[in-house]
Amino acid sequence: MIGRRVLPSIGLLLVPALTACSIGDVRRPPPDRSSASPRPAPTVPAPSRAVGFDEVRQVRVAVDRRYDRPFVEFVDADHGYALFAACDGVPPGRGCTALLYATVDGGRSWQVLRHPRPVAEDQQLYAVPGALVLLAEPYGWYTSTDGGASFVHTTGGEPAALVAARGRFQVVEGLGAVAEWDGAALRPLPTQPAVPGLNTVGHSGDLVVAAGTRDGRPAAALSRDAGRHWVSTPLPWRGDEVGVLRAVIAPDGGAWLVGERPDRTGFPALWRLVGGREWALVGAAGHPAQARSVAPLGAELVAVTSPDGVGVVAGGRYYRVDWPLTGEHHLTVLGDGTILARGPDDVVVGTGWTANRRWVRVVLAGD
């Protein structure tokens, strides 16, 4: 098994990998992030065993019991927000006023914030590096860049903070083109990649990856000069149909492609960028038939949750791991490399490197 403490290397090649970063189930996902240097890969030994959390941070706040569980979002290992907005099973905003909380110590304590529009038809929370964004329909958007102390109200399209959080390069919906965010607007690049069915883009520095699918076949292109020139890069492919292709950018700065199946449940195809120029099809012998979430962790490791449990792809094989998570958890990787595992009943934060993590269960509830 891959343990939860620091383990010796088994000689996996040191290569860059990516952080999958997304927003929770009530929000549109922001872009993936990258920025750490490569480190040795952990050992991949034998089958897993049941383990507990390293810590449980359980806090009760002054919220009426009729409120359902809050939506909790973390920006990094320490900073997070919680929105109580559903009551008695009624959708957010339709049964009670919205209540907003923040933590700066990883969920050990929570402070109440003033919600700028607590009564609305629908309430949503988006937390991204440097900003907290609330949507209170039909009144519009409320953006805070000072931890929720104050908010700026806007209407219409998404506020700049959300657009910027998706990264310097993005695919413009409805246009099928790669655009660059200049701080005020998305501007399509003068030169576009020749990618059929373009639907995803990721970047690390001046390296930009564009990918897509057409008729189940994946395709990709690379730019090494911030989108000024593109080179089509063949993907080794076994002919198994790919429904959606995702480019992921992550902690040690490399690039992965995740080829989701048309039914969005089958175990995906995985590619890793080697030498900054070629794609290698990543094997996962022994993998389960399905996958709920897939998150590259760095050092050639990819974490997977599925109905069969939790595992890691390493060295061409799939291994069960002894993390205190279930197949119901959805994994994302935050900008600081922290794993956020969102389950139906809890939020778990995993700090550390690659597969060696310290797991903290965060529980926030009303009185």
Side-chain angles (χ1 to χ4, degrees):
M1 85 188 116
I2 296 179
R4 294 163 61 205
R5 305 288 179 247
V6 177
L7 299 172
S9 170
I10 60 168
L12 293 178
L13 298 178
L14 299 182
V15 295
L18 304 174
T19 305
C21 198
S22 71
I23 294 179
D25 52 3
V26 301
R27 304 170 305 151
R28 291 176 289 278
D32 301 338
R33 286 283 188 274
S34 69
S35 76
S37 55
R39 305 186 190 180
T43 309
V44 182
S48 65
R49 58 186 173 81
V51 295
F53 296 101
D54 293 286
E55 185 181 352
V56 176
R57 297 171 185 167
Q58 186 163 353
V59 176
R60 289 193 174 275
V61 291
V63 172
D64 192 283
R65 290 184 179 180
R66 61 188 294 260
Y67 279 84
D68 296 345
R69 290 188 183 91
F71 175 77
V72 178
E73 181 63 283
F74 278 86
V75 178
D76 55 36
D78 294 322
H79 298 83
Y81 299 93
L83 178 68
F84 289 86
C87 283
D88 302 324
V90 178
R94 301 180 188 179
C96 51
T97 59
L99 303 174
L100 186 63
Y101 285 81
T103 180
V104 295
D105 55 12
R108 294 180 180 88
S109 64
W110 294 85
Q111 297 75 44
V112 65
L113 300 176
R114 183 189 67 83
H115 194 294
R117 180 67 72 166
V119 179
E121 293 179 10
D122 187 31
Q123 300 278 5
Q124 294 188 38
L125 179 152
Y126 299 70
V128 297
L132 166 65
V133 180
L134 304 175
L135 175 61
E137 294 178 322
Y139 303 105
W141 302 89
Y142 298 83
T143 302
S144 174
T145 57
D146 55 12
S150 62
F151 289 85
V152 174
H153 178 224
T154 57
T155 57
E158 292 180 337
L162 273 189
V163 181
R166 295 195 178 95
R168 177 183 171 189
F169 298 97
Q170 304 177 34
V171 174
V172 181
E173 289 185 24
L175 209 72
V178 178
E180 184 175 8
W181 174 252
D182 65 3
L186 283 171
R187 305 191 183 281
L189 298 176
T191 304
Q192 291 291 320
V195 175
L198 175 69
N199 72 273
T200 185
V201 65
H203 75 93
S204 179
D206 285 343
L207 174 68
V208 188
V209 177
T213 60
R214 177 167 292 170
D215 299 326
R217 185 184 184 93
L222 297 177
S223 172
R224 302 185 64 82
D225 57 7
R228 289 188 290 274
H229 302 87
W230 295 90
V231 176
S232 295
T233 48
L235 292 178
W237 184 51
R238 297 193 179 110
D240 43 344
E241 190 173 2
V242 174
V244 176
L245 196 58
R246 293 191 292 113
V248 188
I249 307 279
D252 51 3
W256 290 74
L257 294 175
V258 178
E260 297 181 359
R261 304 306 180 187
D263 64 2
R264 305 300 290 270
T265 64
F267 196 89
L270 300 170
W271 292 268
R272 179 175 56 85
L273 188 63
V274 179
R277 298 182 181 278
E278 297 181 342
W279 294 102
L281 184 63
V282 176
H287 69 73
Q290 296 182 324
R292 174 176 174 79
S293 64
V294 175
L297 301 179
E300 300 187 27
L301 300 183
V302 179
V304 179
T305 58
S306 76
D308 293 340
V310 188
V312 167
V313 175
R317 294 196 60 83
Y318 173 87
Y319 298 87
R320 293 290 297 273
V321 291
D322 67 344
W323 296 351
L325 306 176
T326 71
E328 291 297 310
H329 283 95
H330 186 278
L331 306 180
T332 59
V333 184
L334 305 179
D336 64 347
T338 298
I339 294 177
L340 182 69
R342 188 182 304 285
D345 301 319
D346 64 0
V347 171
V348 182
V349 174
T351 56
W353 175 251
T354 61
N356 296 297
R357 300 279 167 167
R358 185 175 188 275
W359 297 100
V360 176
R361 185 171 185 251
V362 177
V363 181
L364 178 63
D367 288 332

